[in-house]
Amino acid sequence: YLMLADLYSRQNNFSRAIDYNLKALTLFQQKNDKFRLLNIYEQVGSMYERQNMLSKALEYYSMALKVYREINNKTGEAAALINLARIQLAQGKTTLSIASYEQAYNLVTPLHILPLEVRSLIGLAKANTLNKEYEAANLQYRKAIVLAKKAGMKIELEEAYEGLSEVYKGLKDP
């Protein structure tokens, strides 16, 4: 099932890819194979997100989060929280999004996982910019820039600079 799901996913035939992933999911649930369950939850969540089916994406990312917490995987938990926060922000649930990004940031900061720190800071800054909390967004983007430079994350660095530009525009508008 997974090979067919992968094939259809590569062809951007997400409905068929999801169908085959869900068939495989049933088998892995019976075997209690948490690693493969996580893989499917994240893949299906991503496919739903790419189709802009945000409530379904949120459902599968939430299932992944639950499993990461069960197995006490802080890195996976943070990544799942970032996925949830991104969906929450897209749904206009800014306050929930900020809470999820903050949880992710607080999980990965002591672990020094720079890519997840940067992603959570950029997400926080975007949400705070939408809330017109420009001071907080300014600090978050600046911190993301420092960490992105340190980690050699060029795409995220550019994204943080663009976000910082939006903050400055927001500060100029009355």
Side-chain angles (χ1 to χ4, degrees):
Y1 290 128
L2 290 179
M3 290 172 53
L4 287 170
D6 185 53
L7 174 70
Y8 284 118
S9 179
R10 290 173 194 254
Q11 296 172 351
N12 290 331
N13 187 342
F14 298 126
S15 59
R16 302 250 357 231
I18 289 169
D19 287 341
Y20 281 104
N21 269 307
L22 295 179
K23 288 177 182 180
L25 180 66
T26 303
L27 296 173
F28 297 134
Q29 285 171 328
Q30 291 168 355
K31 293 180 179 183
N32 199 29
D33 186 337
K34 293 192 186 291
F35 175 75
R36 287 198 172 97
L37 286 173
L38 284 167
N39 189 28
I40 291 173
Y41 290 152
E42 290 175 337
Q43 284 183 17
V44 171
S46 175
M47 283 185 249
Y48 278 129
E49 183 178 0
R50 288 165 39 190
Q51 295 178 89
N52 205 32
M53 298 174 73
L54 301 181
S55 60
K56 293 297 280 181
L58 194 64
E59 177 185 338
Y60 281 90
Y61 287 145
S62 295
M63 287 189 262
L65 176 62
K66 182 181 176 193
V67 175
Y68 279 123
R69 286 180 171 161
E70 286 174 9
I71 63 174
N72 197 30
N73 182 324
K74 300 297 182 195
T75 304
E77 184 179 344
L81 283 164
I82 290 169
N83 287 336
L84 286 173
R86 190 177 56 250
I87 300 296
Q88 292 161 338
L89 191 60
Q91 291 177 323
K93 299 175 183 173
T94 311
T95 304
L96 276 176
S97 177
I98 289 171
S100 295
Y101 279 126
E102 285 176 343
Q103 284 179 51
Y105 182 72
N106 291 333
L107 282 170
V108 295
T109 301
L111 302 174
H112 305 290
I113 302 171
L114 294 181
L116 292 177
E117 284 183 70
V118 171
R119 289 288 354 133
S120 57
L121 283 167
I122 289 173
L124 269 170
K126 284 180 181 180
N128 279 314
T129 301
L130 288 172
N131 272 355
K132 299 186 186 300
E133 296 290 338
Y134 298 120
E135 297 285 330
N138 179 33
L139 292 173
Q140 290 153 348
Y141 277 129
R142 289 180 174 281
K143 192 166 189 176
I145 288 167
V146 170
L147 294 175
K149 282 182 181 178
K150 188 175 178 180
M153 299 172 66
K154 294 178 183 178
I155 293 170
E156 288 79 0
L157 183 62
E158 186 176 318
E159 186 178 358
Y161 276 124
E162 288 174 13
L164 195 57
S165 171
E166 292 301 313
V167 168
Y168 290 145
K169 288 177 190 173
L171 287 170
K172 289 182 182 179
D173 293 338

